[in-house]
Amino acid sequence: MELLLALFFFLISLLYSSVGLGGGSGYLAVMGLMGVPPEIMRPVALSLNILVASISSWHYIRAGNFSARLFWPIVLASVPFAYLGGYLELPGYLYRPLVGLVLVYSAWRLWRSTMPGQELPEVRSDLPLWLLLLAGAVIGFVSGLMGIGGGTFLGPLLLLAGWADTKEALGVTAAFVLANSISALAGRLTAVQELPPNIWIWLVAVGVGGWLGAKLGSTHLNPRILRRLLAIILLVGGLRLLLSSLITNI
């Protein structure tokens, strides 16, 4: 099972890292299907997320696709509010359809922006500090409350609101995911205090996949293709949540 999981993790990290994401939701989905014990799913997913997000961040920053002006206010506001959101619990019958609809809507908006005559808005350079702090706080709180990576919210926001161009948005998102994943893993390890001994196999797999995906996304792939890849990832995640909500309520 370890080698089969490694293959799935490699493919997930390859796809997610190309759009500045760590792949945490994908790892969790695969581990759930493969029957991995729930108590180790989250720390494993976060560990893999940190490695892939580190690689993605390095590639995007090295390629000049990063904005410290956007990153620091957002992440500084996000981390404490994500911690606060993690203490609260949203009922499952609200959680799944709410997040699913948000992801599907974001996917539709992003895909639509790649069609002729439907380009993204021009990038703004006059964003007030309070707006960045507010965005970070809201995304942090919602991601903590719902238990999903904040990158799936931040990336579309930066693009659809005209706060950054495609590659710069993905670079900020990668660094944002890295910071939040480190914080979440630290809190989780306080409780479980250990990781499975075979995690090194999966770390190697996502390391290779993450390196290849981040390299392609940061330097080679067309921004339009990147937006479509991100839209597909958001759509799959959103439909999966909506379907699980429907099955649970039947």
Side-chain angles (χ1 to χ4, degrees):
M1 185 177 74
E2 287 83 1
L3 293 179
L4 185 57
L5 277 172
L7 175 60
F8 282 125
F9 289 163
F10 167 79
L11 295 174
I12 291 168
S13 63
L14 178 66
L15 178 59
Y16 275 69
S17 62
S18 68
V19 292
L21 299 176
S25 59
Y27 308 139
L28 287 172
V30 169
M31 284 189 284
L33 291 173
M34 297 289 289
V36 175
E39 62 271 14
I40 70 169
M41 285 174 58
R42 286 176 60 192
V44 167
L46 287 169
S47 299
L48 303 182
N49 222 33
I50 288 170
L51 178 58
V52 175
S54 299
I55 294 171
S56 297
S57 299
W58 186 83
H59 274 290
Y60 277 98
I61 292 172
R62 186 168 179 264
N65 300 315
F66 181 76
S67 172
R69 175 184 62 87
L70 287 174
F71 172 73
W72 286 113
I74 292 174
V75 78
L76 289 176
S78 171
V79 170
F81 277 90
Y83 185 82
L84 175 63
Y87 268 114
L88 304 177
E89 185 175 353
L90 191 66
Y93 67 89
L94 289 177
Y95 161 73
R96 294 183 184 90
L98 179 60
V99 180
L101 288 172
V102 169
L103 294 182
V104 169
Y105 174 74
S106 297
W108 173 75
R109 286 290 307 275
L110 275 180
W111 188 273
R112 188 166 177 260
S113 74
T114 67
M115 306 304 290
Q118 296 289 338
E119 295 297 325
L120 292 171
E122 291 187 9
V123 177
R124 298 174 54 188
S125 58
D126 58 343
L127 294 171
L129 178 61
W130 69 265
L131 185 58
L132 298 176
L133 292 171
L134 177 62
V138 171
I139 291 173
F141 181 74
V142 172
S143 63
L145 183 67
M146 299 182 174
I148 63 175
T152 54
F153 292 119
L154 180 62
L157 172 65
L158 295 176
L159 290 169
L160 298 175
W163 291 6
D165 61 34
T166 299
K167 292 195 174 183
E168 189 177 66
L170 300 184
V172 172
T173 298
F176 176 85
V177 170
L178 173 61
N180 275 351
S181 296
I182 290 174
S183 177
L185 181 61
R188 188 60 187 161
L189 289 180
T190 301
V192 299
Q193 298 182 337
E194 63 179 352
L195 290 166
N198 56 355
I199 193 175
W200 67 270
I201 300 174
W202 303 332
L203 288 170
V204 170
V206 301
V208 175
W211 182 273
L212 292 174
K215 181 69 174 177
L216 288 172
S218 62
T219 58
H220 297 297
L221 291 182
N222 182 282
R224 189 182 300 271
I225 295 175
L226 288 171
R227 294 204 300 275
R228 288 190 173 185
L229 285 174
L230 181 56
I232 291 171
I233 291 172
L234 294 174
L235 179 62
V236 171
L239 291 177
R240 183 168 61 86
L241 284 170
L242 289 174
L243 181 60
S244 66
S245 174
L246 180 63
I247 293 174
T248 301
N249 292 327
I250 290 178

